Amino acid sequence: MLQLLWLVPALPLAGFAVLALTTGRLPRAVIAWIGCGSVGLAALVALAIAPRFVGEPGLTVHQVGWVWFDVAGFRPAIGLYLDALSMVMTLVVTVVSFLIHLYSTEYVADDEGFNRYFAYMNLFVASMCVLVLADNLLFLYLGWEGVGLCSYLLIGFWYRDPVNGSAAQKAFIVTRAGDAAMAIGLFLLFTHQGTLEIQPLMQRASSEWAGGSGLAIAAAALLLGGAVGKSAQLPLQTWLPDAMAGPTPVSALIHAATMVTAGVYLIARTHVLYSLAPPVHLAVAVIGALTLLLAGFSALAQNDLKRVLAYSTISQIGYMFLALGVGAWSAAIFHLMTHAFFKALLFLSAGVVILALHDEHDIHKMGGLRKKLPVAFWSFVIGSASLAALPLVTAGFYSKDLILWHAWASADGGPWLWAAGWVGALLTGVYIFRAVLLVFFGSAKTAVGWRPGWRSVLPLVVLSGLSVVGGWVELPHWLGDAPLFTRFVQHTLPVTPLVRGDEAAIEWLAVLASLAGIFAAWWLFMHWREALARVMQGAAAQRLRAYWHAGWGFDWLYDRLFVRPWLWLAEIDRRDVVDSFFTGVARLCQLGWRALSASQGGRVRHYAAAIGGGAVIVVAIALFA
């Protein structure tokens, strides 16, 4: 089965090609089979390969298709590299994407862009598979830019609404800032190491660059710029909440299985560089800690159900960055996996609610849906419990609490980073169960007009199961010595030694944060709701809520720092000074043409005289020069 690895990216890419070339001429049933089936087959191939990796720890597969190009000794290949890390990522991407595709066949069943939707979605999955399987950073960068392009196309899928087009442009432009930094980093790495093939590059960097080397710091910082942009971390997090303009399954795909996880994967894949650059490594943890707190407070102030989940994603990716920054490499990827399950579940459940309520997004206009949409209710509750790390019975408990333990106990961690993670866990329980209580409890405010069919229900059921049992592959030591996930990836990612053994105490504090957050939400929004509403009428509370609702004012700041100055320059440079040079060259050519055309009067004697005069000049030059 290992020889079939190339089918994982090829099948979704083939699905995209067929759908793009037929441009909607196929029946909708055939389009759904191609769009959904191509990703499903890729998932089956990945699942068939996985047991071999479980049985042979440390196994790697390297397939080189052909040399991409050969310029001055630079010979990047179209090659695939599969190890434990990319195996986990491939399974997450293909399996979760297939479930989202199946859900989409019902969600967009009546949309006029049905064919276009699945073509974009297939290209999205193919690009992500290229990204996680690439054996060199240039090929990875191709997948990296591919997911950026697809995010633009899918966020602006309903392009007739200017708001959607603006959101797509914002996502594309903001992430380009990080992508530019990453491209410069690739140039730097190739210039000083002579290759972009990931495994040889890491070996050379480890042997040739000393810890704290300026080149290692520069390379790691530039790659971090790309990761921050794609994964929506400070200071480039502003695009993700607006990306909710796209269809809800698109939001699920971006948040759970593709784009925002790319930055986490990039840092984990190039972990050697960050080990050689301690200041940048610490910056990863600090960025993650700050992001998870800022996004958690912002989620508390949102009214749009999807924006609550969007800020939740920013916060949870912050946990992954925190883990990466303290050297808990396997814990970061473990949380990436569990997060993919419960975040896809939350978005798909939210999609059922939104569709059932005639495209209503405001949680204050919902309510009383617990009995009217039981599947969506239980799915959302399970996803919320896993997100809030409800102890023992959810996957999120095992992965998030493992990060908190590493943040406290690892040599690179510390009480401040742990405290940020602990407060973030408390906030998570409050904001997500605020959404649960406002959407599914209380009195109904909007009539239900649609109910999900089996193509929507089946993905919810599967993801609900994964959101519960997905964490059992990495039980805490005090529950049993079965760290299966760490043992699986330890041949690819180093295991960080821990300097303190307070795991049980830290776990109990994490349990306290989870339960306290859930209880606080229940008390505030069920029993103290009227009193809370009166408190929120105060001027100070209103200003604070508006500040958090606006994402701490980053959009306001960037608008004044970058957008308005750029528009001002464009306004005063309407005639474009840069183009004036090229316009002058064109006009000079026009003048020359007019002068030469004037000499063409059609009189033969003038032509003969010109030829004779020219001959005399040429002979004179030859004789006297």
Side-chain angles (χ1 to χ4, degrees):
M1 290 301 297
L2 297 179
Q3 292 76 19
L4 299 179
L5 176 63
W6 63 275
L7 288 174
V8 174
L11 285 167
L13 187 61
F16 160 75
V18 172
L19 295 175
L21 292 173
T22 55
T23 60
R25 288 190 289 269
L26 298 173
R28 292 199 171 214
V30 176
I31 293 171
W33 273 102
I34 293 173
C36 194
S38 60
V39 179
L41 289 173
L44 287 176
V45 172
L47 288 169
I49 293 173
R52 179 78 179 273
F53 273 77
V54 175
E56 298 182 39
L59 176 67
T60 60
V61 179
H62 190 196
Q63 292 182 354
V64 179
W66 61 89
V67 173
W68 191 353
F69 56 82
D70 189 346
V71 177
F74 182 40
R75 305 178 73 250
I78 303 295
L80 306 178
Y81 183 84
L82 187 67
D83 59 5
L85 173 59
S86 49
M87 184 77 258
V88 171
M89 292 296 298
T90 301
L91 288 171
V92 169
V93 170
T94 55
V95 172
V96 175
S97 296
F98 167 69
L99 294 172
I100 295 171
H101 274 69
L102 179 60
Y103 177 97
S104 297
T105 60
E106 187 169 321
Y107 192 89
V108 296
D110 299 324
D111 197 284
E112 62 179 358
F114 191 79
N115 182 87
R116 180 165 55 91
Y117 175 87
F118 280 101
Y120 293 165
M121 292 280 276
N122 276 192
L123 183 59
F124 208 161
V125 176
S127 299
M128 191 65 190
C129 289
V130 167
L131 193 158
V132 301
L133 289 172
D135 72 338
N136 66 84
L137 288 176
L138 187 64
F139 195 31
L140 182 150
Y141 194 69
L142 176 66
W144 188 273
E145 291 300 321
V147 296
L149 169 65
C150 293
S151 69
Y152 168 78
L153 296 172
L154 285 165
I155 292 168
F157 178 72
W158 290 316
Y159 57 88
R160 289 189 177 90
D161 187 343
V163 173
N164 297 343
S166 297
Q169 291 175 8
K170 184 178 181 180
F172 195 77
I173 293 168
V174 172
T175 55
R176 286 293 76 73
D179 295 354
M182 181 178 172
I184 297 171
L186 299 188
F187 282 117
L188 186 150
L189 287 169
F190 178 74
T191 301
H192 291 277
Q193 296 297 341
T195 183
L196 288 179
E197 192 172 347
I198 296 173
Q199 303 309 315
L201 174 63
M202 295 300 107
Q203 293 170 4
R204 293 183 189 182
S206 180
S207 61
E208 296 178 13
W209 287 345
S213 162
L215 288 173
I217 291 173
L222 289 166
L223 294 186
L224 176 60
V228 162
K230 273 291 187 288
S231 292
Q233 297 293 283
L234 284 171
L236 299 178
Q237 81 285 4
T238 57
W239 66 269
L240 193 58
D242 289 353
M244 298 303 94
T248 302
V250 170
S251 303
L253 191 64
I254 291 175
H255 289 245
T258 55
M259 188 166 172
V260 297
T261 62
V264 178
Y265 172 76
L266 176 67
I267 295 175
R269 176 55 76 193
T270 57
H271 63 86
V272 172
L273 290 178
Y274 292 89
S275 299
L276 295 172
V280 183
H281 197 191
L282 177 61
V284 175
V286 173
I287 288 171
L290 291 176
T291 303
L292 71 90
L293 287 175
L294 267 63
F297 282 111
S298 292
L300 278 174
Q302 302 305 310
N303 298 325
D304 187 313
L305 180 57
K306 287 176 65 176
R307 288 179 73 90
V308 173
L309 299 180
Y311 278 107
S312 165
T313 297
I314 297 173
S315 182
Q316 296 307 303
I317 300 293
Y319 274 103
M320 299 174 208
F321 269 63
L322 174 60
L324 293 170
V326 298
W329 310 102
S330 63
I333 302 301
F334 181 38
H335 192 56
L336 185 154
M337 181 186 75
T338 60
H339 175 263
F341 300 150
F342 62 71
K343 188 50 61 69
L345 177 62
L346 284 168
F347 267 108
L348 298 187
S349 303
V352 170
V353 171
I354 291 168
L355 209 57
L357 300 185
H358 315 284
D359 203 35
E360 180 58 67
H361 288 69
D362 191 340
I363 58 178
H364 295 290
K365 296 180 181 178
M366 299 177 183
L369 299 177
R370 180 165 46 96
K371 295 181 179 178
K372 295 181 179 181
L373 296 171
V375 173
F377 167 67
W378 286 110
S379 299
F380 200 90
V381 167
I382 292 171
S384 299
S386 192
L387 171 62
L390 189 66
L392 302 180
V393 294
T394 61
F397 164 74
Y398 299 102
S399 59
K400 187 183 292 185
D401 293 355
L402 184 63
I403 291 174
L404 292 176
W405 178 47
H406 276 275
W408 173 266
S410 68
D412 297 323
W416 289 108
L417 293 175
W418 172 83
W422 189 88
V423 173
L426 179 67
L427 287 172
T428 302
V430 176
Y431 71 66
I432 195 59
F433 275 90
R434 165 182 176 259
V436 170
L437 295 170
L438 293 180
V439 172
F440 294 101
F441 290 83
S443 59
K445 300 177 180 66
T446 305
V448 173
W450 175 86
R451 297 188 184 278
W454 72 269
R455 288 173 294 171
S456 295
V457 171
L458 181 59
L460 295 178
V461 172
V462 174
L463 289 169
S464 295
L466 291 174
S467 297
V468 173
V469 305
W472 294 357
V473 296
E474 187 78 1
L475 297 177
H477 295 295
W478 53 274
L479 284 179
D481 188 17
L484 300 178
F485 190 86
T486 297
R487 290 210 302 266
F488 180 67
V489 300
Q490 67 183 355
H491 296 281
T492 302
L493 298 172
V495 177
T496 304
L498 301 174
V499 297
R500 282 172 286 191
D502 307 323
E503 185 182 7
I506 297 302
E507 289 283 355
W508 281 111
L509 286 173
V511 168
L512 175 63
S514 172
L515 295 179
I518 296 171
F519 176 78
W522 177 77
W523 180 260
L524 288 171
F525 300 104
M526 290 295 289
H527 288 271
W528 206 54
R529 192 167 179 176
E530 293 182 1
L532 180 63
R534 289 194 297 271
V535 171
M536 293 305 299
Q537 295 301 317
Q542 290 280 7
R543 284 196 293 270
L544 182 61
R545 183 185 180 282
Y547 187 53
W548 289 350
H549 184 270
W552 295 72
F554 276 89
D555 280 316
W556 179 91
L557 177 64
Y558 292 164
D559 181 64
R560 282 152 180 79
L561 284 180
F562 303 111
V563 178
R564 293 190 181 185
W566 189 261
L567 293 176
W568 177 77
L569 288 173
E571 183 65 29
I572 66 173
D573 190 27
R574 279 184 173 274
R575 296 187 179 182
D576 203 338
V577 174
V578 175
D579 278 356
S580 61
F581 170 76
F582 302 100
T583 303
V585 172
R587 292 189 177 171
L588 184 63
C589 291
Q590 288 178 340
L591 291 173
W593 166 77
R594 288 195 180 98
L596 292 173
S597 63
S599 69
Q600 304 301 307
R603 297 185 179 184
V604 177
R605 71 178 72 177
H606 292 173
Y607 297 164
I611 293 171
V616 170
I617 293 172
V618 171
V619 171
I621 291 173
L623 290 175
F624 300 109

